[in-house]
Amino acid sequence: MKKIFILSCGLLLALSACNVKQTYQYAFQNPDLPVDERVDDLVSQLTLEEKISQMINTAPAIERLGIPAYNWWNECLHGVARSPYPVTSFPQAIGMAATWDVESIHQMAEYASDEGRAIYHDASNKGKTGIFLGLTYWSPNINIFRDPRWGRGQETYGEDPFLTATIGSSFVKGLQGDDPVYLKSSACAKHYAVHSGPEWNRHTYNAEVSNFDLWDTYLPAFQELVVDAKVTGVMCAYNALFGQPCCGSDLIMQDILQNQWRFDGYVTSDCGAISDFYRTHKTQPDAAAAAADAVLHGTDCECGNGVYEALTEAIDKGLITEADIDVSVKRLFKIRFRLGMFDPDDRVPYAKTSVDVLEAPEHQAHALKMAQQSIVLLKNENNLLPLNKQQIKKIAVVGPNADSESVLLANYYGYPTEVTTLLEGIRAKVGNAVEVVYEKGVNLTDDFVFTSNYKDELFTYNGAQGFQANYYQNTNREGDPGLTRIEKKVDYQWGDGQDIADGIITRQMSAVWSTVYTPEQTADVAFELKADDWAELYIDGVKQEKTGNINAYYPLQAEKGKTYKIDINYRQSADNAEITFDLGTLKKANVKATAAAVKDADIILFAGGISSRVEGEEMGVVIDGFKRGDRTSIDLPAIQKDLLKELKATGKPVVFVLMTGSAIGLEWESQNIPAIVNAWYGGQAAGQAIADVLFGDYNPAGRLPVTFYKSVNDLPDFEDYSMANRTYRYFKGTPVYPFGYGLSYTTFQYNTLETAQEGQSVKVKTTVTNTGGKDGDEVVQLYLSNKRDFTTPIRALKGFQRIHLKAGESKTVEFTLTPKELAVVNRTGSSEPMKGEVIISVGGGQPSALSLSHQQSAQQTISL
């Protein structure tokens, strides 16, 4: 950047004593000018080609103007994701929603943006401008979790528009900061707007919804974040809406987002969504038409396929003008200016954030706090919990999730330095005072059990212990390797873009590890190979076919005296880069034998559920109960239920620690297992948090942000986007556990409601008393019901507060219901005031759920 200095005093005088006036070659370089003026000036300097280049997420540098390269794509779903730096991992979004604590979520977002700022500045100072290093975070996901089969529901804040909007708003404000000039970082509300599965057809699906459902369910959270929280980014979805791709929708992009809500941030496409216009939705004939249509509808940035490179052709064809291009380019640069990317560090309050904040003690403490807060106690028969260490001599920890780190990190995650599993948390909690035995028993979905007995000395390459590793900076292992070295073991977790060595980074890379395996005895062995993105195993030049439907196992009848040449091919395109190679034994699970092995324990902890290896974003898994990221059944996988039944048959008390990102149909489990704890995907400190709850060092107070139905038979077709008979607001059946539900180790009493109308608002007040013997949190929930001659919710959440009460303590809780809360959506999608009788319920859950728990509520009917 060229700067000209004019000194108004003698050169021999100290600069501090001089009156120094600074001028700039271009107006956009001057931080004292209004941001819009600076943006206009910068864009006026650009050629058409340069403008178009800035509309793709991988925006290149414009060196002649001193504009650095920038990649818009970054993620911060529950902590900074996919980073090559160590970061703090908080509970998955659905777990954060289960805290029902907006202050905790705001603090989490502040800490995450601190870490993001540190990464950005450190990377920038080192000349790195690649993916997952920037300050534009494509989070939060505020789609409504309308159906438990959707694999990405774990990324959301649940099924309720009010809860989603409130939590999402707190997250956005924490991430973006409160400086009047500069953004701390930029949040992005996604996926706009009617989007929640299925994953397998998201590139072709056309959503059709009523005006009522659109405005009653699918748009309120987006409206809250855009209009009130001032989110600076929006991501449009893959699917079509009323026959138009969401990124090219007249209704939601032009009429609603631009005209009604006056959104002044930027819009990015979901990655690859613009190519869907002509490849799958078939609404446009080619790339030029698709690019023009998306830009004219307000999609400023294209993530993915470079379709926007065809904008030059679109201009030549008269489909779009350069002035239209300018609108989007200005929106994009305005965000970068607001982030302080063109200003001196001393002008930007966040620019001094150093890497010392990464995994700071207060961040780690908050990850533990949120994991504790997120845990929902679903059942506690005869007060089995909390456990008493003084009365227990032996604990059995059983199940596929008991010692798994990956299940705790969920999806869209970063790498913390330390992750505490449940098994580790239990061992740390009881120390040497209690014997802890561990039996995995089964995998998540199949009946294989792999036991590792890896020995370094069994693997050599040309006489050296270990593997020869060849790394390539392409995904096809083409040409000469950019790096060759001997490595002791293949066991890596890299963030995207992380330096390996000699210029090789983990993006668009591949590798081959070669070794010779020499068995120490004749025996049946197995290799385990786990990888993200892709890997394959060759033995003596022959490609091996895996055993197991999730984990990849490769059995071998090993003979002593023979050697086996092992080659592992690996490819990583984007996202986290992970690969682990292990040696051990593989056996079929025997649930009866597992139960027999632990029947002498005083208590059995079963850690099961599912993980992001089977539920998530458009993945390749197609097995019983799961389809390409989604679920076809909400039952606990059969092999796990079989083991649970055998554990119950031992006669010993069983505690089911459930780990999941979505609702599980726990009908049998709720009737037969005495204690059930839902721990979600709890992040780096989950093991300690669960142990704290199990042993009573933390009193659980999490509440369900989704309904736990009995089975998919209770639900409409997955592809039906009507809200009829969906979520607690419209479901007419009886769930296993309802939205808003959760138990405590203490009890709470609610006094009679006091209500008072003040103008167009209603004040609601009640006193809550902790009537039990333990200190604890209560989540006070306010629901409204207003029957009309058109469809309205059975009840709808309109207020909540998480409060702490010592044993015997009382607190008065107040809510103000504004006209916004005292409104319903009519058939046309318009909002109108409630009329007639309005039932107000305040309690620890929905009034219909009181028979399931200690929960009580106060209720009053008013007339409006």
Side-chain angles (χ1 to χ4, degrees):
M1 184 181 296
K2 184 176 180 181
K3 298 181 180 179
I4 302 172
F5 294 89
I6 301 174
L7 301 184
S8 61
C9 56
L11 292 175
L12 296 179
L13 295 178
L15 286 177
S16 60
C18 297
N19 179 20
V20 179
K21 182 179 180 181
Q22 185 171 349
T23 61
Y24 301 88
Q25 182 176 7
Y26 300 108
F28 77 82
Q29 298 168 335
N30 185 352
D32 293 320
L33 294 178
V35 66
D36 288 334
E37 185 176 332
R38 299 175 71 189
V39 169
D40 288 345
D41 178 70
L42 187 154
V43 175
S44 73
Q45 312 295 331
L46 302 179
T47 66
L48 175 60
E49 181 181 3
E50 288 170 337
K51 292 173 183 177
I52 292 172
S53 75
Q54 298 300 300
M55 297 174 66
I56 300 171
N57 72 285
T58 53
I62 303 175
E63 294 182 1
R64 67 183 183 84
L65 296 175
I67 298 172
Y70 184 68
N71 196 310
W72 287 81
W73 189 352
N74 209 344
E75 304 284 354
C76 191
L77 182 63
H78 54 112
V80 178
R82 300 174 175 175
S83 169
Y85 294 73
V87 295
T88 308
S89 179
F90 300 90
Q92 175 62 299
I94 194 71
M96 289 196 291
T99 71
W100 291 60
D101 189 331
V102 294
E103 292 181 0
S104 274
I105 289 159
H106 186 277
Q107 184 67 76
M108 168 266 159
E110 284 193 335
Y111 286 153
S113 60
D114 286 340
E115 297 194 1
R117 267 283 172 178
I119 291 168
Y120 169 75
H121 290 295
D122 187 70
S124 296
N125 290 337
K126 294 174 179 176
K128 298 180 179 180
T129 57
I131 195 169
F132 306 133
L133 296 173
L135 294 173
T136 43
Y137 293 105
W138 291 349
S139 306
N141 182 340
I142 56 169
N143 292 130
I144 297 301
F145 198 178
R146 66 181 176 91
D147 192 300
R149 287 168 284 198
W150 185 35
R152 297 191 72 180
Q154 61 176 293
E155 302 173 23
T156 75
Y157 300 131
E159 69 183 38
D160 181 71
F162 183 86
L163 182 66
T164 297
T166 305
I167 291 176
S169 178
S170 183
F171 178 93
V172 167
K173 292 174 182 177
L175 207 65
Q176 295 189 166
D178 58 4
D179 187 85
V181 177
Y182 293 101
L183 292 169
K184 190 176 186 183
S185 59
S186 170
C188 178
K190 67 182 187 185
H191 309 84
Y192 185 62
V194 186
H195 177 84
S196 55
E199 286 297 301
W200 66 77
N201 65 2
R202 64 183 185 174
H203 298 285
T204 58
Y205 185 73
N206 177 46
E208 300 275 357
V209 296
S210 66
N211 286 330
F212 170 75
D213 284 336
L214 182 66
W215 286 97
D216 179 64
T217 296
Y218 293 110
L219 290 183
F222 285 99
Q223 184 172 11
E224 177 75 19
L225 265 62
V226 169
V227 176
D228 296 319
K230 305 301 180 185
V231 70
T232 49
V234 167
M235 176 184 284
C236 45
Y238 285 115
N239 59 275
L241 177 65
F242 300 121
Q244 289 182 306
C246 284
C247 294
S249 168
D250 295 343
L251 175 62
I252 62 172
M253 291 290 287
Q254 292 182 321
D255 181 34
I256 296 174
L257 187 63
Q258 295 175 20
N259 297 336
Q260 294 188 41
W261 296 346
R262 302 295 181 186
F263 178 60
D264 63 354
Y266 81 102
V267 176
T268 182
S269 75
D270 208 336
C271 297
I274 307 304
S275 63
D276 287 348
F277 282 39
Y278 60 96
R279 290 178 177 170
T280 54
H281 293 309
K282 308 292 186 183
T283 57
Q284 301 295 334
D286 54 29
D293 189 55
V295 173
L296 290 171
H297 279 90
T299 306
D300 307 303
C301 176
E302 185 217 352
C303 175
N305 304 29
V307 177
Y308 275 12
E309 293 172 0
L311 283 170
T312 304
E313 179 186 347
I315 289 176
D316 292 341
K317 290 181 176 180
L319 301 176
I320 194 170
T321 67
E322 185 170 357
D324 297 319
I325 299 292
D326 287 351
V327 172
S328 286
V329 178
K330 287 180 180 180
R331 288 182 186 137
L332 294 170
F333 272 112
K334 185 172 183 178
I335 297 296
R336 294 182 66 179
F337 274 103
R338 293 186 65 195
L339 288 165
M341 292 180 177
F342 299 97
D343 292 356
D345 285 353
D346 60 4
R347 298 288 292 262
V348 184
Y350 310 113
K352 298 297 184 182
T353 309
S354 75
V355 293
D356 293 339
V357 306
L358 299 178
E359 299 186 294
E362 59 269 29
H363 299 192
Q364 296 187 57
H366 197 64
L368 172 60
K369 175 185 176 180
M370 293 201 76
Q372 293 167 332
Q373 288 184 308
S374 71
I375 293 171
V376 184
L377 180 60
L378 295 176
K379 185 179 179 184
N380 192 21
E381 188 175 282
N382 298 322
N383 293 320
L384 174 60
L385 298 176
L387 303 175
N388 187 336
K389 284 186 288 187
Q390 310 305 319
Q391 299 176 357
I392 297 173
K393 295 182 178 180
K394 185 174 185 178
I395 295 175
V397 182
V398 183
N401 286 336
D403 198 32
S404 170
E405 292 186 2
S406 64
V407 69
L408 307 179
L409 299 180
N411 69 353
Y412 284 88
Y413 59 94
Y415 291 119
T417 300
E418 183 176 355
V419 178
T420 305
T421 67
L422 172 61
L423 178 62
E424 292 167 340
I426 295 299
R427 285 175 171 164
K429 177 66 65 176
V430 301
N432 296 324
V434 179
E435 180 184 1
V436 179
V437 296
Y438 167 60
E439 293 281 342
K440 183 177 181 181
V442 298
N443 280 332
L444 281 176
T445 59
D446 62 40
D447 57 355
F448 292 103
V449 178
F450 176 81
T451 303
S452 174
N453 52 24
Y454 191 96
K455 294 181 179 179
D456 293 336
E457 61 268 22
L458 302 182
F459 299 92
T460 59
Y461 186 86
N462 287 345
Q465 191 176 105
F467 298 72
Q468 175 175 275
N470 289 319
Y471 291 92
Y472 304 81
Q473 198 64 73
N474 59 70
T475 57
N476 299 314
R477 305 182 301 281
E478 294 177 343
D480 295 330
L483 169 65
T484 298
R485 67 186 182 188
I486 298 295
E487 298 177 348
K488 185 176 181 180
K489 192 174 182 180
V490 181
D491 186 10
Y492 293 109
Q493 289 184 326
W494 293 299
D496 193 288
Q498 184 165 335
D499 289 314
I500 297 176
D502 294 345
I504 298 291
I505 65 168
T506 52
R507 166 155 278 267
Q508 297 294 309
M509 58 83 71
S510 55
V512 178
W513 286 272
S514 300
T515 191
V516 173
Y517 165 59
T518 305
E520 57 185 347
Q521 61 185 359
T522 298
D524 289 338
V525 301
F527 301 112
E528 181 185 45
L529 183 60
K530 297 185 289 187
D532 186 359
D533 296 335
W534 170 92
E536 58 184 6
L537 179 70
Y538 284 79
I539 300 178
D540 291 334
V542 179
K543 181 180 177 181
Q544 303 297 295
E545 298 299 323
K546 75 170 187 175
T547 298
N549 54 26
I550 301 298
N551 296 62
Y553 303 116
Y554 302 91
L556 174 67
Q557 293 179 326
E559 296 181 27
K560 185 177 182 179
K562 288 188 65 174
T563 59
Y564 300 86
K565 185 177 184 298
I566 305 294
D567 293 291
I568 304 166
N569 296 337
Y570 173 71
R571 179 180 69 233
Q572 184 251 3
S573 296
D575 200 346
N576 293 328
E578 303 174 0
I579 184 164
T580 301
F581 175 76
D582 203 355
L583 168 69
T585 58
L586 187 66
K587 296 181 180 179
K588 279 283 191 176
N590 185 326
V591 294
K592 290 184 180 295
T594 299
V598 299
K599 66 180 181 181
D600 61 338
D602 298 306
I603 191 84
I604 300 171
L605 305 179
F606 176 76
I610 53 180
S611 83
S612 61
R613 300 190 68 191
V614 291
E615 64 168 349
E617 182 176 3
E618 197 182 13
M619 57 181 58
V621 176
V622 181
I623 58 176
D624 185 34
F626 302 89
K627 181 179 178 180
R628 295 187 60 188
D630 294 322
R631 299 161 64 198
T632 56
S633 167
I634 62 171
D635 292 343
L636 188 70
I639 189 66
Q640 293 188 49
K641 185 174 290 189
D642 290 343
L643 179 52
L644 262 179
K645 290 179 177 179
E646 293 299 329
L647 295 176
K648 173 181 166 56
T650 65
K652 295 300 177 69
V654 178
V655 178
F656 181 13
V657 179
L658 174 65
M659 298 179 189
T660 179
S662 52
I664 305 290
L666 298 175
E667 189 171 20
W668 180 88
E669 292 80 0
S670 67
Q671 295 172 0
N672 291 277
I673 303 300
I676 305 175
V677 174
N678 186 2
W680 310 102
Y681 303 142
Q684 65 182 53
Q688 180 181 342
I690 299 167
D692 288 343
V693 166
L694 294 178
F695 285 92
D697 294 321
Y698 187 88
N699 190 349
R703 298 290 186 265
L704 293 180
V706 290
T707 301
F708 273 47
Y709 306 95
K710 295 177 181 177
S711 76
V712 294
N713 296 329
D714 287 342
L715 297 167
D717 185 271
F718 189 12
E719 297 183 51
D720 178 4
Y721 267 69
S722 167
M723 292 305 296
N725 209 38
R726 288 190 186 281
T727 76
Y728 81 97
R729 297 192 305 144
Y730 298 105
F731 181 59
K732 297 178 181 178
T734 302
V736 180
Y737 296 112
F739 172 89
Y741 171 83
L743 303 178
S744 172
Y745 295 151
T746 190
T747 55
F748 300 95
Q749 177 71 46
Y750 286 77
N751 286 359
T752 304
L753 282 186
E754 297 179 24
T755 61
Q757 290 186 243
E758 297 183 0
Q760 294 181 306
S761 297
V762 174
K763 297 280 189 178
V764 180
K765 182 167 66 174
T766 189
T767 300
V768 186
T769 303
N770 182 344
T771 54
K774 293 181 180 294
D775 300 350
D777 288 3
E778 171 70 323
V779 178
V780 184
Q781 303 165 44
L782 184 153
Y783 296 89
L784 297 183
S785 300
N786 180 221
K787 292 184 178 180
R788 302 290 292 277
D789 60 355
F790 50 84
T791 301
T792 58
I794 299 168
R795 66 184 57 86
L797 181 73
K798 294 297 181 180
F800 64 90
Q801 293 182 35
R802 181 164 178 151
I803 61 173
H804 183 77
L805 293 171
K806 295 179 180 179
E809 183 183 7
S810 297
K811 283 186 180 178
T812 298
V813 180
E814 297 184 12
F815 298 94
T816 298
L817 298 173
T818 69
K820 183 177 179 180
E821 286 82 47
L822 294 169
V824 291
V825 175
N826 61 29
R827 297 183 186 94
T828 67
S830 299
S831 179
E832 64 176 65
M834 293 181 175
K835 294 179 181 179
E837 290 190 346
V838 177
I839 302 173
I840 304 174
S841 302
V842 179
Q846 295 183 62
S848 63
L850 300 184
S851 62
L852 292 173
S853 70
H854 71 285
Q855 295 167 345
Q856 298 190 32
S857 70
Q859 187 167 296
Q860 188 175 126
T861 300
I862 63 173
S863 295
L864 294 177

